Amino acid sequence: MGISVRGVTKRFGEFVALDDVSLDIPSGALTALLGPSGGGKSTLLRIIAGLESPDSGVVEIAGTDATTLPPQRRNVGFVFQHYAAFKHMTVFKNVAFGLEIRKRPKDEVRKKVKELLELVHIEKFADRLPSELSGGQRQRMALARALAVEPEVLLLDEPFGALDAQVRKELRAWLRRLHDEVHVTTVFVTHDQEEAMEVADTIAIISAGRLEQVGTPDDLYDHPANDFVMTFLGPVTTLSGDLVRPHDLELRAVPDAETTEATVVRVMRLGFEVRVELVCAGQDLWAQTTRENADRLDLQAGRTVHVARTTSATGAPDPQPQGAGTQTAR
């Protein structure tokens, strides 16, 4: 079921958390709300959930105006960063809770919980307490509990933020696979660019309460609407006053009409890739190249090289931003 946000503004005193935000989230899609801390991502998610009320604007869920509906009438599942588990209940009872308060038959509850625990791969821990689980297992339990009531929309507020890097990486790949199985409309908040790029079908970038741009990961990376989007979504450097991706720079031994002279300051080998720090016309610059190319050019501190943009380089952001202010996801 799709979500439509229209002209939503939210203030906390003098602070404007959301400023006239409009966004369409397609039914069945996995959409990331991405941006820096304090930018308004979680506020928008909480307004969709009904945990906050907008000062102005409309929220529709599945074609129904949900702006004034309480959370329990929105058929939304919500997963917080810190799980919010019932500590005295077993994993099974935590997942069953939403079904039991809806007075579902015991056999139905037992069957549904068993299926969900198998779906999220924690069926072996059904009789444990949350304190006996790892962080990743507790987050899987929280997702199973949210899915138990068969929500039309699943909302995740930085679900993996409290986990270490390796577990976070494993769980976001698992979340993508889980979404492909259950096909519930899912919105998740993150400030991790790699996480959004890896997991989401669509990314909405929010900063300072405004929607900067919406699109697929490739769209946003290759065609950023403005400098903020380009610098926030992936590495950038500056060549002749223009923002450019470091991997879109080519280092050459011989100058030509397309190149700018630079001096190598430092060479760092990072596995297959090599990061080359340079000075060009008094400005710091860095390029990303392969070990093969670095060896061919015999790159080392003090050497002069000639820098050009590759033909695939997007360079500076689009001159006419597609997503400044408000935008609709398609």
Side-chain angles (χ1 to χ4, degrees):
M1 298 295 180
I3 303 168
S4 181
V5 175
R6 287 282 176 269
V8 164
T9 294
K10 178 66 177 180
R11 294 180 176 84
F12 296 98
E14 297 297 316
F15 175 69
V16 181
L18 294 172
D19 184 9
D20 192 26
V21 170
S22 294
L23 173 67
D24 281 341
I25 296 171
S27 177
L30 202 167
T31 299
L33 304 181
L34 174 67
S37 297
K41 310 179 301 295
S42 292
T43 299
L44 179 57
L45 196 77
R46 291 175 66 83
I47 285 174
I48 293 170
L51 300 174
E52 297 281 357
S53 297
D55 296 325
S56 61
V58 175
V59 175
E60 293 183 356
I61 299 176
T64 299
D65 188 344
T67 311
T68 60
L69 290 179
Q72 61 270 25
R73 293 186 56 195
R74 298 192 183 202
N75 198 16
V76 166
F78 203 105
V79 177
F80 297 91
Q81 178 177 338
H82 295 289
Y83 326 118
F86 297 110
K87 297 179 181 180
H88 64 288
M89 293 184 181
T90 64
V91 169
F92 185 97
K93 294 292 288 183
N94 262 280
V95 176
F97 181 78
L99 296 170
E100 291 176 342
I101 63 173
R102 287 167 172 77
K103 307 297 184 184
R104 299 286 181 84
K106 289 184 178 180
D107 288 345
E108 178 186 332
V109 171
R110 190 177 302 109
K111 179 182 178 183
K112 183 69 173 179
V113 173
K114 182 175 182 295
E115 290 174 351
L116 286 166
L117 293 181
E118 291 174 352
L119 180 67
V120 301
H121 304 140
I122 56 170
E123 65 275 13
K124 296 179 181 178
F125 310 117
D127 296 326
R128 293 192 183 183
L129 294 172
S131 60
E132 298 173 311
L133 303 179
S134 69
Q137 291 163 350
R138 286 197 295 272
Q139 196 57 282
R140 290 173 186 247
M141 179 195 70
L143 283 162
R145 186 177 59 189
L147 290 169
V149 296
E150 299 180 352
E152 293 179 340
V153 173
L154 181 62
L155 306 177
L156 313 174
D157 191 3
E158 302 222 31
F160 310 135
L163 305 174
D164 65 63
Q166 184 58 38
V167 174
R168 191 162 64 242
K169 189 173 182 66
E170 292 172 359
L171 278 185
R172 67 192 188 208
W174 169 80
L175 175 63
R176 179 69 247 188
R177 293 193 300 271
L178 177 67
H179 177 267
D180 291 341
E181 289 186 46
V182 298
H183 298 295
V184 63
T185 302
T186 303
V187 185
F188 75 101
V189 164
T190 182
H191 61 266
D192 186 322
Q193 297 93 329
E194 182 179 339
E195 185 168 281
M197 296 283 284
E198 183 177 327
V199 175
D201 300 311
T202 300
I203 299 173
I205 297 186
I206 300 176
S207 176
R210 297 185 64 81
L211 190 59
E212 298 288 347
Q213 191 175 2
V214 181
T216 67
D218 285 349
D219 286 341
L220 271 59
Y221 191 86
D222 293 335
H223 305 288
N226 52 44
D227 285 354
F228 173 81
V229 174
M230 186 165 185
T231 55
F232 189 75
L233 203 66
V236 295
T237 191
T238 304
L239 177 64
S240 301
D242 293 330
L243 294 176
V244 63
R245 303 289 185 196
H247 56 73
D248 283 331
L249 294 178
E250 182 180 351
L251 304 181
R252 302 175 184 173
V254 179
D256 58 35
E258 299 176 346
T259 63
T260 302
E261 185 177 287
T263 301
V264 176
V265 175
R266 187 182 181 198
V267 179
M268 289 173 285
R269 296 179 181 269
L270 306 170
F272 174 74
E273 297 177 348
V274 176
R275 176 182 171 125
V276 185
E277 295 183 354
L278 309 117
V279 172
C280 178
Q283 300 295 314
D284 291 335
L285 169 75
W286 70 280
Q288 185 176 311
T289 189
T290 64
R291 293 187 67 171
E292 179 183 5
N293 195 46
D295 291 342
R296 180 178 61 81
L297 294 171
D298 189 24
L299 293 179
Q300 53 187 287
R303 184 171 296 278
T304 297
V305 293
H306 304 276
V307 185
R309 296 188 190 185
T310 65
T311 56
S312 62
T314 57
D318 294 338
Q320 294 182 337
Q322 302 172 28
T326 60
Q327 184 178 346
T328 299
R330 299 293 184 192

